[in-house]
Amino acid sequence: METSRIPGFYNRSVEGRRELLKSMDVFSEEELQGLEAKEGLPTETADKMIENVIGTYPLPLGLGLNFLINGKEYVVPMAIEEPSVVASASHIAKIVRDSGGFTTEATERVMIGQIQVVGCEDFQKAKQVLVNHKTYLLKQANEAYPSIVARGGGAEDLDIRILNEASNSSYQQMLVLHLYINTCDAMGANIINTMVESLAPYIEELTGGKVYLRILSNYADKCLARAKCVIPPDILKTGDFTGEEVRDGVVHAYEFAASDPYRAVTHNKGIMNGIDPIVIATGNDWRAVEAGAHAYASRHGQYSSMTSWSVDQEGNLVGELELPMSVGTVGGSINVHPISKIALRMLNVESAQELAQVIIAVGLAQNLGALKALVTDGIQKGHMALHSRSVAIAAGATGELIDIVSEKLVEAKEIRVGKAKELVEEYTK
Ligand code: NDP
């Protein structure tokens, strides 16, 4: 698409937004029908995806706008129930695009498979035997999944650690083999698990030990994505706050999160507010991304901020985010869920690496959105105004009454279900 900058998008009706996107070739007529379908995920498809299915659980799907990443325009599908996330992401993306956009990069897509070996008579000797058989083991692993090798991926390397060697407990002593696997455009859990399971008998034979666990690690620290933005202070000006005040507030807020886990958890939750909705919309495994991201935030020994914010020599605000991003554009439920296929088409990404870069940029935007609000008006002003619509619905408002009640709640500065019920009663008398 030519631009992700669509002024007044939020003022249109849902139908108007869809028609506009179709005219912009963001999606096709068929995809439009897929989005309009009452059941975005047909029950019979859901029944094949998990067990004991009784229905489906829909979430709102919104679009993050204004994203300019490495010079390319993106409209970002976001599946989320929390108000103000999509608006905040789009607001910050607009600020960043006015500063030249996000720059991002991603490492090779190398994922880790783990094999746990216990009960070796001599762990050092067992380790050496495995090191000596590295080429053989890599070949065996690749033979277990030849199609990923044909795609240019596969097992590329391995290393071996001994844990708790000095322990008196044989339960604690173990050898752990890490298999490094390039999973190309797949998240790769099944590819990895197949490979590590296939290696187990060879490893038992070579070490004389017993293999227990054979599974991927969600601590995907060799599958990283990075985003950066550089923003001149003048475009950060907000209400009565100067751009410099906002910039300095953001850096102070970052230093708080960098030093205090109580703050860092909430700071990082705000980042995941941007990341999870895209991971969900594209059919990826958000538990895997969450687990890896939080572990990475502790990599220096204390749970800390995922982002960093600083001021450069020209006085610009500089934000950076780096996280493991084990997402795919194929595999798992991605090619099964009709909406994830549409979401990926809308994003127009060519590879899992590119998808990871879009996701990380949105995470950085979301963090700045939250920090900017926190260091200026506070989070409640924007949040509660949007939340008021959900409160109105929870109180029983329908149709036009939703907006009427919601506005009255904001006017009264009382965004509570009790107050909303009173208003619903008053208007439906
Ligand atoms: P799949 O098992 O669906 O494997 C992806 C397949 O896609 C590949 O085997 C490959 O098959 C095909 N493919 C087509 N094009 C490409 C390409 N360009 N690059 C790579 N593969 C391609 O999915 P994953 O292995 O990714 O597994 C992800 C699923 O595993 C998720 O649903 C996740 O929830 C789940 N899971 C997660 C765990 C965890 O996180 N701890 C544990 C277990 C499962 P072919 O080459 O034969 O065409």
Side-chain angles (χ1 to χ4, degrees):
M1 69 179 304
E2 266 171 35
T3 182
S4 60
R5 175 93 194 89
I6 315 176
F9 191 72
Y10 66 97
N11 277 331
R12 291 171 175 258
S13 64
V14 173
E15 206 173 301
R17 289 176 199 144
R18 287 174 179 166
E19 285 300 332
L20 177 71
L21 290 168
K22 200 178 72 165
S23 73
M24 292 171 75
D25 203 25
V26 174
F27 48 63
S28 63
E29 176 61 37
E30 196 190 325
E31 286 168 337
L32 179 65
Q33 281 168 12
L35 283 173
E36 276 173 352
K38 277 246 156 2
E39 237 187 337
L41 175 63
T43 309
E44 58 272 24
T45 308
D47 194 32
K48 301 282 179 293
M49 291 170 75
I50 65 160
E51 310 74 39
N52 297 352
V53 165
I54 53 161
T56 55
Y57 183 97
L59 281 174
L61 180 70
L63 283 190
L65 296 178
N66 306 325
F67 278 91
L68 182 67
I69 304 170
N70 297 335
K72 181 171 167 182
E73 301 279 353
Y74 294 92
V75 287
V76 182
M78 301 173 80
I80 185 165
E81 84 298 345
E82 187 175 338
S84 89
V85 167
V86 175
S88 172
S90 305
H91 167 63
I92 298 299
K94 164 90 175 47
I95 289 178
V96 175
R97 81 182 282 123
D98 291 344
S99 331
F102 293 92
T103 49
T104 61
E105 55 183 30
T107 60
E108 282 281 303
R109 299 191 48 76
V110 176
M111 296 285 290
I112 302 169
Q114 296 194 294
I115 302 175
Q116 178 199 32
V117 194
V118 303
C120 298
E121 235 167 64
D122 182 336
F123 278 94
Q124 289 297 344
K125 215 165 139 190
K127 178 177 175 178
Q128 197 51 51
V129 173
L130 293 180
V131 170
N132 295 345
H133 285 80
K134 179 172 155 176
T135 313
Y136 167 75
L137 290 169
L138 292 176
K139 183 166 162 285
Q140 296 301 334
N142 282 326
E143 276 177 13
Y145 217 108
S147 66
I148 199 70
V149 181
R151 291 182 190 282
E156 294 178 342
D157 202 357
L158 58 81
D159 67 31
I160 299 138
R161 290 172 300 145
I162 299 170
L163 304 186
N164 310 318
E165 194 175 12
S167 170
N168 292 326
S169 164
S170 62
Y171 284 118
Q172 291 179 344
Q173 290 182 323
M174 67 190 79
L175 183 147
V176 179
L177 183 139
H178 275 193
L179 190 62
Y180 299 108
I181 305 162
N182 183 332
T183 58
C184 300
D185 289 316
M187 179 268 197
N190 293 316
I191 299 170
I192 299 162
N193 296 343
T194 304
M195 285 193 176
V196 288
E197 285 190 9
S198 79
L199 279 191
Y202 302 107
I203 287 177
E204 287 189 339
E205 201 183 316
L206 289 167
T207 60
K210 178 164 177 52
V211 168
Y212 273 106
L213 269 60
R214 300 142 293 163
I215 183 145
L216 87 157
S217 168
N218 287 114
Y219 191 36
D221 65 349
K222 295 198 180 300
C223 181
L224 300 170
R226 300 183 191 101
K228 183 176 179 180
C229 60
V230 180
I231 309 171
D234 51 304
I235 49 177
L236 286 169
K237 187 179 172 335
T238 306
D240 293 336
F241 297 86
T242 67
E244 282 76 12
E245 273 177 313
V246 176
R247 176 198 68 191
D248 292 344
V250 169
V251 179
H252 281 297
Y254 153 66
E255 293 293 351
F256 184 7
S259 313
D260 176 27
Y262 285 91
R263 175 59 207 147
V265 172
T266 322
H267 178 96
N268 292 343
K269 187 273 181 185
I271 295 169
M272 302 316 286
N273 269 350
I275 289 176
D276 285 342
I278 317 171
V279 177
I280 294 169
T282 55
N284 273 288
D285 185 335
W286 74 93
R287 286 86 54 206
V289 172
E290 281 273 351
H294 291 286
Y296 201 63
S298 306
R299 67 191 180 284
H300 300 305
Q302 179 186 304
Y303 186 82
S304 183
S305 168
M306 291 174 182
T307 50
S308 72
W309 293 96
S310 58
V311 180
D312 71 10
Q313 285 189 335
E314 283 79 50
N316 300 312
L317 177 66
V318 180
E320 288 174 272
L321 174 61
E322 176 184 273
L323 286 176
M325 199 48 69
S326 56
V327 290
T329 51
V330 292
S333 67
I334 297 165
N335 309 113
V336 179
H337 198 304
I339 304 288
S340 68
K341 284 191 260 183
I342 298 174
L344 274 168
R345 239 278 292 147
M346 259 189 218
L347 265 171
N348 190 23
V349 289
E350 278 170 18
S351 64
Q353 267 181 329
E354 188 181 347
L355 174 61
Q357 291 175 70
V358 175
I359 295 172
I360 204 83
V362 180
L364 184 58
Q366 206 72 53
N367 184 224
L368 182 56
L371 297 185
K372 184 168 169 281
L374 282 168
V375 302
T376 55
D377 295 327
I379 206 106
Q380 288 304 78
K381 193 177 166 200
H383 194 86
M384 290 312 271
L386 292 168
H387 180 56
S388 62
R389 293 195 300 233
S390 300
V391 172
I393 295 168
T398 52
E400 285 175 356
L401 198 52
I402 297 171
D403 283 339
I404 296 170
V405 171
S406 147
E407 274 165 33
K408 291 280 170 202
L409 292 173
V410 175
E411 259 173 44
K413 294 194 175 133
E414 264 192 274
I415 300 166
R416 298 183 293 105
V417 175
K419 174 76 183 168
K421 279 189 175 156
E422 283 171 25
L423 287 163
V424 171
E425 248 176 60
E426 196 181 314
Y427 282 96
T428 47
K429 254 183 207 161

